[in-house]
Amino acid sequence: MPPTIAPSRRFGTSFLYFLRLGALGFGGPVALANSMRRDLVEARGWLTSEEYENGLALAAACPGPLAYQLAVYCGYVRFGVTGGLAVAVAFGLAPFLIVTFAAWLYVRFTGNWQLRALFYGIAPVVVALIVKACWNLGKRTLRSDRAAWIFASGACTITVIVQRELALMFVVAGLIGAFVFRRPGASAVAPAPANANGRARAMLLAPAATIAFSGTTAKLFLFFFKTGLLVFGSGLVIVPFLKTQVVDQYHWLGNRQFLDSVAIGMISPGPVVITATFVGYLLNGVIGALAATIGIFSPPVLFTVLATPMLLRYYKHPRFAGFIRGVGVTVVGVLVGTTYLVGKEAIGDWLTVLIGIVSLVVITMWKKLPDPFVVLAGGVIGLVTYQSIKPGWVLQ
């Protein structure tokens, strides 16, 4: 694969970009993935469109939150294993600090209605951000390819019907895509990337983390590490699984605490799976938050470091290229379907409908308006109106 970055580009520039994206990136996986395409492909030219789409398909095919996995892939493509690990830290650092601080406030001021009021006003804004990002991502990824639209529409329909993301659907779509989207051309295999030592070191991260923690903290790490292996496409799939384990089986949290944890994950910047940080803090303080965060993010880092070299080596093979295209267009449909599922939970009365519509109009007409300002406005509206409206459906 030809290099996509000039030597003058500095390692620190990428680190700072993903640090900022993690701190200000609202809207879930679709919005974050769309931001990376806009910034890294169209504005800065750090990646080609083909590299980006390959990374999007890789992120969908491997376990892990889509946006986080895509970010690690971008770091790996530019700077190898070191770049991938640096982006993994940069992208997750700000959400970790924000959610840990929010958890500290929650424990100190538990029982207050303000948190749910914030969720009430911010959630429809988040849905609007996701809808806009879905449109942009679909328009650029699907283009005028009729087969791609059929794949995406089918994936969206299945996701809405079964009410969750199906990992098997990505595999099936890739296998069918290997024939439907087969690219004619050379099937030469590129030389293997020389990062074997770095990949070997990366594979030691999870065992090392397990040794570093002990007792309850080690249990948290292992639980969220296993959970991270089940997250495909977006972190939203983690919610029903977490409730079954954390609330119903282990009784670590009550229903109200769990709902508050999910709310924090949705209204915080960065990947939705940062909910794990909040749960970890409630169970064992800062060290529990750290263990849960490392656990949930370790699988996507390991899978990306291991799978990206294969992608770089075989991406020009006609069948492999078709497989990647099939997965890539399917993830667009899945994300549209999960947007509908999120919208059902976030929009439940006339005011949330109005907030969502107005937010969508504002971010569409004033494209340069920073997303955090719109999110902040939604939070203010929630705080001002919650006590007078008393939306009982939020507590369900």
Side-chain angles (χ1 to χ4, degrees):
M1 177 174 288
T4 61
I5 174 173
S8 59
R9 296 287 189 186
R10 295 184 303 167
F11 179 87
T13 305
S14 288
F15 185 90
L16 292 176
Y17 168 78
F18 283 103
L19 184 65
R20 180 181 179 277
L21 183 64
L24 302 176
F26 291 91
V30 188
L32 293 171
N34 185 63
S35 294
M36 280 183 261
R37 180 179 184 114
R38 180 193 64 214
D39 297 336
L40 304 184
V41 177
E42 299 171 6
R44 292 173 170 83
W46 290 355
L47 299 176
T48 65
S49 295
E50 186 176 41
E51 286 174 331
Y52 173 85
E53 291 184 8
N54 286 343
L56 184 65
L58 177 72
C62 295
L66 184 141
Y68 187 79
Q69 193 131 312
L70 179 60
V72 175
Y73 163 86
C74 293
Y76 184 94
V77 168
R78 299 193 70 209
F79 299 108
V81 173
T82 302
L85 296 179
V87 168
V89 173
F91 196 35
L93 180 60
F96 168 77
L97 295 176
I98 292 171
V99 172
T100 300
F101 180 67
W104 176 80
L105 290 175
Y106 179 88
V107 171
R108 185 169 182 178
F109 302 103
T110 185
N112 289 9
W113 57 269
Q114 286 84 352
L115 181 63
R116 193 159 284 109
L118 283 171
F119 173 71
Y120 173 73
I122 290 176
V125 178
V126 172
V127 173
L129 291 171
I130 297 175
V131 169
K132 181 190 174 186
C134 272
W135 171 257
N136 291 336
L137 185 63
K139 184 170 59 175
R140 292 165 179 166
T141 301
L142 305 180
R143 300 185 289 272
S144 58
D145 189 340
R146 181 177 299 179
W149 280 93
I150 292 174
F151 270 61
S153 300
C156 177
T157 302
I158 293 173
T159 302
V160 170
I161 292 175
V162 302
Q163 301 284 298
R164 62 189 180 94
E165 299 169 0
L166 297 176
L168 181 61
M169 183 164 53
F170 295 122
V171 178
V172 173
L175 294 175
I176 298 175
F179 297 91
V180 174
F181 299 110
R182 179 181 181 274
R183 297 181 186 175
S187 59
V189 177
N195 280 309
N197 292 334
R199 293 197 299 275
R201 289 194 299 270
M203 292 178 65
L204 297 176
L205 291 178
T210 306
I211 296 172
F213 299 128
S214 61
T216 302
T217 309
K219 291 180 182 178
L220 278 171
F221 170 80
L222 291 174
F223 170 77
F224 280 104
F225 183 84
K226 290 186 292 183
T227 303
L229 297 174
L230 302 176
V231 180
F232 281 84
S234 87
L236 300 173
V237 74
I238 198 179
V239 173
F241 176 81
L242 270 185
K243 183 183 184 301
T244 302
Q245 302 293 316
V246 173
V247 178
D248 301 331
Q249 180 173 340
Y250 295 115
H251 305 290
W252 286 346
L253 300 179
N255 277 308
R256 178 176 177 177
Q257 289 177 310
F258 178 75
L259 290 173
D260 291 341
S261 301
V262 175
I264 287 293
M266 288 185 65
I267 67 177
S268 300
V272 177
V273 294
I274 203 67
T275 295
T277 303
F278 193 90
V279 174
Y281 185 93
L282 295 185
L283 293 176
N284 203 27
V286 175
I287 188 66
L290 182 63
T293 304
I294 295 176
I296 199 72
F297 285 136
S298 290
V301 174
L302 295 176
F303 273 102
T304 302
V305 168
L306 295 174
T308 301
M310 183 179 70
L311 176 67
L312 299 180
R313 184 175 173 86
Y314 294 103
Y315 85 107
K316 286 187 177 180
H317 191 283
R319 298 292 186 193
F320 189 79
F323 181 92
I324 293 297
R325 175 68 173 163
V327 175
V329 298
T330 298
V331 74
V332 175
V334 171
L335 292 175
V336 173
T338 54
T339 300
Y340 167 76
L341 300 180
V342 173
K344 286 201 311 178
E345 300 297 326
I347 299 176
D349 56 27
W350 67 270
L351 182 57
T352 49
V353 170
L354 182 61
I355 293 174
I357 293 175
V358 172
S359 299
L360 184 60
V361 171
V362 169
I363 61 179
T364 301
M365 295 184 63
W366 291 279
K367 297 180 180 180
K368 293 186 178 180
L369 182 66
D371 293 342
F373 283 100
V374 187
V375 173
L376 178 61
V380 171
I381 294 174
L383 287 171
V384 171
T385 62
Y386 186 84
Q387 288 291 71
S388 59
I389 294 179
K390 297 188 182 302
W393 60 272
V394 176
L395 302 176
Q396 296 176 356

Short mmCIF file of all heavy atoms in Angstrom, two decimals, residues 26 99 102 106 114-120 122-123 126 239 255-269 272 274-275 278 394:
data_model
loop_
_atom_site.label_atom_id
_atom_site.label_comp_id
_atom_site.label_asym_id
_atom_site.label_seq_id
_atom_site.Cartn_x
_atom_site.Cartn_y
_atom_site.Cartn_z
N PHE A 26 -19.37 14.11 20.14
CA PHE A 26 -20.70 13.66 20.55
C PHE A 26 -21.40 13.00 19.36
O PHE A 26 -21.03 13.20 18.21
CB PHE A 26 -21.55 14.84 21.03
CG PHE A 26 -21.08 15.43 22.33
CD1 PHE A 26 -20.17 16.48 22.34
CD2 PHE A 26 -21.53 14.94 23.53
CE1 PHE A 26 -19.74 17.04 23.53
CE2 PHE A 26 -21.11 15.48 24.73
CZ PHE A 26 -20.20 16.54 24.73
N VAL A 99 -16.12 10.88 32.51
CA VAL A 99 -17.08 9.96 33.12
C VAL A 99 -16.68 9.63 34.56
O VAL A 99 -17.55 9.48 35.43
CB VAL A 99 -17.20 8.68 32.26
CG1 VAL A 99 -18.03 7.62 32.98
CG2 VAL A 99 -17.82 9.01 30.92
N ALA A 102 -17.86 12.49 36.52
CA ALA A 102 -19.32 12.43 36.62
C ALA A 102 -19.76 11.38 37.63
O ALA A 102 -20.72 11.58 38.38
CB ALA A 102 -19.93 12.12 35.24
N TYR A 106 -21.90 11.83 40.95
CA TYR A 106 -23.10 11.02 41.12
C TYR A 106 -23.12 10.37 42.50
O TYR A 106 -24.15 10.37 43.19
CB TYR A 106 -23.13 9.94 40.04
CG TYR A 106 -24.32 9.01 40.12
CD1 TYR A 106 -25.52 9.32 39.49
CD2 TYR A 106 -24.23 7.80 40.82
CE1 TYR A 106 -26.61 8.45 39.56
CE2 TYR A 106 -25.30 6.94 40.90
CZ TYR A 106 -26.48 7.28 40.27
OH TYR A 106 -27.55 6.43 40.35
N GLN A 114 -31.27 16.06 38.77
CA GLN A 114 -30.62 16.81 37.69
C GLN A 114 -30.02 15.92 36.60
O GLN A 114 -30.05 16.27 35.42
CB GLN A 114 -29.53 17.73 38.26
CG GLN A 114 -30.05 18.96 38.97
CD GLN A 114 -30.42 18.67 40.42
OE1 GLN A 114 -30.42 17.52 40.85
NE2 GLN A 114 -30.72 19.71 41.18
N LEU A 115 -29.45 14.78 36.98
CA LEU A 115 -28.82 13.91 35.99
C LEU A 115 -29.85 13.41 34.98
O LEU A 115 -29.61 13.43 33.77
CB LEU A 115 -28.14 12.74 36.68
CG LEU A 115 -27.42 11.76 35.75
CD1 LEU A 115 -26.28 12.45 35.01
CD2 LEU A 115 -26.89 10.56 36.52
N ARG A 116 -31.02 12.98 35.50
CA ARG A 116 -32.05 12.50 34.57
C ARG A 116 -32.60 13.64 33.74
O ARG A 116 -33.00 13.45 32.58
CB ARG A 116 -33.15 11.81 35.37
CG ARG A 116 -34.10 11.00 34.50
CD ARG A 116 -34.85 9.94 35.28
NE ARG A 116 -33.96 8.81 35.56
CZ ARG A 116 -33.49 8.53 36.76
NH1 ARG A 116 -33.79 9.27 37.78
NH2 ARG A 116 -32.70 7.48 36.93
N ALA A 117 -32.64 14.82 34.31
CA ALA A 117 -33.10 15.99 33.54
C ALA A 117 -32.14 16.28 32.40
O ALA A 117 -32.57 16.62 31.28
CB ALA A 117 -33.23 17.20 34.46
N LEU A 118 -30.84 16.18 32.66
CA LEU A 118 -29.85 16.36 31.59
C LEU A 118 -30.06 15.33 30.49
O LEU A 118 -30.04 15.66 29.30
CB LEU A 118 -28.44 16.26 32.17
CG LEU A 118 -27.92 17.47 32.94
CD1 LEU A 118 -26.60 17.11 33.63
CD2 LEU A 118 -27.73 18.65 32.01
N PHE A 119 -30.24 14.08 30.88
CA PHE A 119 -30.45 13.02 29.89
C PHE A 119 -31.71 13.29 29.08
O PHE A 119 -31.75 13.07 27.87
CB PHE A 119 -30.56 11.68 30.61
CG PHE A 119 -30.95 10.54 29.71
CD1 PHE A 119 -30.08 10.05 28.77
CD2 PHE A 119 -32.21 9.98 29.82
CE1 PHE A 119 -30.45 9.00 27.94
CE2 PHE A 119 -32.59 8.95 28.99
CZ PHE A 119 -31.70 8.45 28.05
N TYR A 120 -32.76 13.77 29.75
CA TYR A 120 -34.02 14.07 29.09
C TYR A 120 -33.84 15.09 27.96
O TYR A 120 -34.40 14.94 26.87
CB TYR A 120 -35.01 14.59 30.13
CG TYR A 120 -36.33 15.08 29.57
CD1 TYR A 120 -37.27 14.19 29.08
CD2 TYR A 120 -36.63 16.45 29.55
CE1 TYR A 120 -38.48 14.65 28.57
CE2 TYR A 120 -37.83 16.90 29.05
CZ TYR A 120 -38.76 16.00 28.56
OH TYR A 120 -39.94 16.45 28.05
N ILE A 122 -30.74 16.16 26.58
CA ILE A 122 -29.61 15.91 25.69
C ILE A 122 -29.86 14.74 24.74
O ILE A 122 -29.42 14.76 23.59
CB ILE A 122 -28.33 15.66 26.52
CG1 ILE A 122 -27.89 16.97 27.19
CG2 ILE A 122 -27.20 15.10 25.66
CD1 ILE A 122 -26.69 16.81 28.10
N ALA A 123 -30.57 13.71 25.20
CA ALA A 123 -30.76 12.52 24.38
C ALA A 123 -31.35 12.81 23.00
O ALA A 123 -30.86 12.28 22.00
CB ALA A 123 -31.63 11.50 25.15
N VAL A 126 -28.68 14.16 20.77
CA VAL A 126 -27.78 13.10 20.33
C VAL A 126 -28.38 12.34 19.16
O VAL A 126 -27.70 12.01 18.19
CB VAL A 126 -27.46 12.16 21.50
CG1 VAL A 126 -26.68 10.94 21.02
CG2 VAL A 126 -26.67 12.89 22.58
N VAL A 239 -25.63 -2.65 26.00
CA VAL A 239 -26.60 -2.28 27.04
C VAL A 239 -27.43 -3.47 27.52
O VAL A 239 -27.48 -3.74 28.73
CB VAL A 239 -27.50 -1.13 26.55
CG1 VAL A 239 -28.61 -0.85 27.54
CG2 VAL A 239 -26.65 0.12 26.31
N ASN A 255 -31.54 -1.18 39.16
CA ASN A 255 -32.05 -0.72 37.86
C ASN A 255 -31.82 0.77 37.66
O ASN A 255 -31.43 1.21 36.58
CB ASN A 255 -33.54 -1.04 37.73
CG ASN A 255 -33.78 -2.47 37.29
OD1 ASN A 255 -33.23 -2.93 36.29
ND2 ASN A 255 -34.59 -3.18 38.04
N ARG A 256 -32.06 1.55 38.71
CA ARG A 256 -31.91 3.00 38.58
C ARG A 256 -30.46 3.37 38.33
O ARG A 256 -30.15 4.22 37.48
CB ARG A 256 -32.42 3.69 39.84
CG ARG A 256 -32.26 5.18 39.79
CD ARG A 256 -32.85 5.84 41.01
NE ARG A 256 -32.62 7.28 40.98
CZ ARG A 256 -33.08 8.11 41.91
NH1 ARG A 256 -33.77 7.66 42.93
NH2 ARG A 256 -32.82 9.40 41.81
N GLN A 257 -29.54 2.75 39.09
CA GLN A 257 -28.12 3.04 38.89
C GLN A 257 -27.68 2.65 37.48
O GLN A 257 -26.88 3.35 36.85
CB GLN A 257 -27.28 2.30 39.92
CG GLN A 257 -27.39 2.81 41.33
CD GLN A 257 -26.59 1.97 42.29
OE1 GLN A 257 -26.70 0.74 42.31
NE2 GLN A 257 -25.78 2.62 43.11
N PHE A 258 -28.20 1.53 36.99
CA PHE A 258 -27.82 1.08 35.65
C PHE A 258 -28.31 2.05 34.59
O PHE A 258 -27.58 2.40 33.65
CB PHE A 258 -28.37 -0.32 35.39
CG PHE A 258 -28.07 -0.82 34.00
CD1 PHE A 258 -26.80 -1.26 33.67
CD2 PHE A 258 -29.05 -0.83 33.02
CE1 PHE A 258 -26.51 -1.71 32.39
CE2 PHE A 258 -28.77 -1.27 31.74
CZ PHE A 258 -27.49 -1.72 31.43
N LEU A 259 -29.57 2.51 34.71
CA LEU A 259 -30.10 3.47 33.75
C LEU A 259 -29.30 4.77 33.77
O LEU A 259 -29.05 5.37 32.72
CB LEU A 259 -31.57 3.76 34.07
CG LEU A 259 -32.55 2.61 33.78
CD1 LEU A 259 -33.94 2.97 34.29
CD2 LEU A 259 -32.60 2.29 32.30
N ASP A 260 -28.89 5.19 34.95
CA ASP A 260 -28.06 6.40 35.04
C ASP A 260 -26.70 6.18 34.38
O ASP A 260 -26.16 7.10 33.74
CB ASP A 260 -27.88 6.80 36.50
CG ASP A 260 -29.16 7.30 37.14
OD1 ASP A 260 -30.08 7.69 36.38
OD2 ASP A 260 -29.25 7.31 38.37
N SER A 261 -26.16 4.97 34.51
CA SER A 261 -24.88 4.66 33.88
C SER A 261 -24.98 4.75 32.36
O SER A 261 -24.10 5.31 31.69
CB SER A 261 -24.41 3.26 34.29
OG SER A 261 -24.26 3.14 35.67
N VAL A 262 -26.06 4.19 31.82
CA VAL A 262 -26.28 4.25 30.37
C VAL A 262 -26.47 5.69 29.92
O VAL A 262 -25.97 6.11 28.87
CB VAL A 262 -27.49 3.38 29.97
CG1 VAL A 262 -27.79 3.52 28.48
CG2 VAL A 262 -27.22 1.92 30.31
N ALA A 263 -27.20 6.47 30.72
CA ALA A 263 -27.41 7.88 30.37
C ALA A 263 -26.09 8.63 30.28
O ALA A 263 -25.85 9.40 29.34
CB ALA A 263 -28.32 8.54 31.41
N ILE A 264 -25.21 8.40 31.25
CA ILE A 264 -23.89 9.04 31.23
C ILE A 264 -23.11 8.62 30.00
O ILE A 264 -22.45 9.44 29.33
CB ILE A 264 -23.10 8.69 32.50
CG1 ILE A 264 -23.69 9.43 33.71
CG2 ILE A 264 -21.64 9.04 32.35
CD1 ILE A 264 -23.52 10.93 33.65
N GLY A 265 -23.17 7.33 29.65
CA GLY A 265 -22.47 6.86 28.47
C GLY A 265 -22.97 7.50 27.20
O GLY A 265 -22.19 7.78 26.27
N MET A 266 -24.27 7.79 27.14
CA MET A 266 -24.85 8.37 25.93
C MET A 266 -24.57 9.86 25.81
O MET A 266 -24.37 10.38 24.71
CB MET A 266 -26.36 8.13 25.90
CG MET A 266 -26.76 6.69 25.63
SD MET A 266 -28.56 6.51 25.48
CE MET A 266 -28.86 7.48 23.98
N ILE A 267 -24.58 10.57 26.94
CA ILE A 267 -24.42 12.03 26.86
C ILE A 267 -22.96 12.45 26.93
O ILE A 267 -22.65 13.62 26.74
CB ILE A 267 -25.23 12.75 27.96
CG1 ILE A 267 -24.66 12.44 29.34
CG2 ILE A 267 -26.69 12.39 27.86
CD1 ILE A 267 -25.37 13.16 30.47
N SER A 268 -22.06 11.49 27.22
CA SER A 268 -20.64 11.83 27.28
C SER A 268 -20.03 11.77 25.88
O SER A 268 -20.52 11.04 25.01
CB SER A 268 -19.89 10.86 28.19
OG SER A 268 -20.41 10.90 29.50
N PRO A 269 -18.96 12.51 25.63
CA PRO A 269 -18.28 12.39 24.35
C PRO A 269 -17.57 11.05 24.26
O PRO A 269 -17.33 10.39 25.27
CB PRO A 269 -17.29 13.55 24.37
CG PRO A 269 -17.03 13.79 25.82
CD PRO A 269 -18.32 13.50 26.52
N VAL A 272 -19.83 4.99 23.29
CA VAL A 272 -20.89 4.73 24.26
C VAL A 272 -20.45 3.73 25.33
O VAL A 272 -20.92 3.77 26.47
CB VAL A 272 -22.16 4.23 23.54
CG1 VAL A 272 -23.26 3.89 24.53
CG2 VAL A 272 -22.65 5.27 22.56
N ILE A 274 -18.11 3.74 27.10
CA ILE A 274 -17.50 4.38 28.26
C ILE A 274 -18.42 4.23 29.47
O ILE A 274 -18.01 4.52 30.61
CB ILE A 274 -17.22 5.87 27.96
CG1 ILE A 274 -16.12 6.42 28.88
CG2 ILE A 274 -18.48 6.68 28.05
CD1 ILE A 274 -14.76 5.82 28.65
N THR A 275 -19.63 3.74 29.26
CA THR A 275 -20.52 3.35 30.36
C THR A 275 -19.80 2.42 31.33
O THR A 275 -20.04 2.46 32.54
CB THR A 275 -21.77 2.64 29.80
OG1 THR A 275 -22.52 3.57 29.02
CG2 THR A 275 -22.65 2.09 30.91
N PHE A 278 -18.15 4.19 34.24
CA PHE A 278 -19.09 4.61 35.27
C PHE A 278 -19.43 3.45 36.19
O PHE A 278 -19.42 3.57 37.42
CB PHE A 278 -20.36 5.17 34.62
CG PHE A 278 -21.26 5.91 35.55
CD1 PHE A 278 -21.11 7.28 35.74
CD2 PHE A 278 -22.27 5.26 36.23
CE1 PHE A 278 -21.95 7.98 36.60
CE2 PHE A 278 -23.12 5.95 37.09
CZ PHE A 278 -22.96 7.31 37.26
N VAL A 394 -39.34 8.51 31.30
CA VAL A 394 -37.89 8.51 31.45
C VAL A 394 -37.47 7.54 32.55
O VAL A 394 -36.38 6.96 32.51
CB VAL A 394 -37.38 9.93 31.79
CG1 VAL A 394 -35.89 9.91 32.05
CG2 VAL A 394 -37.71 10.87 30.66
#
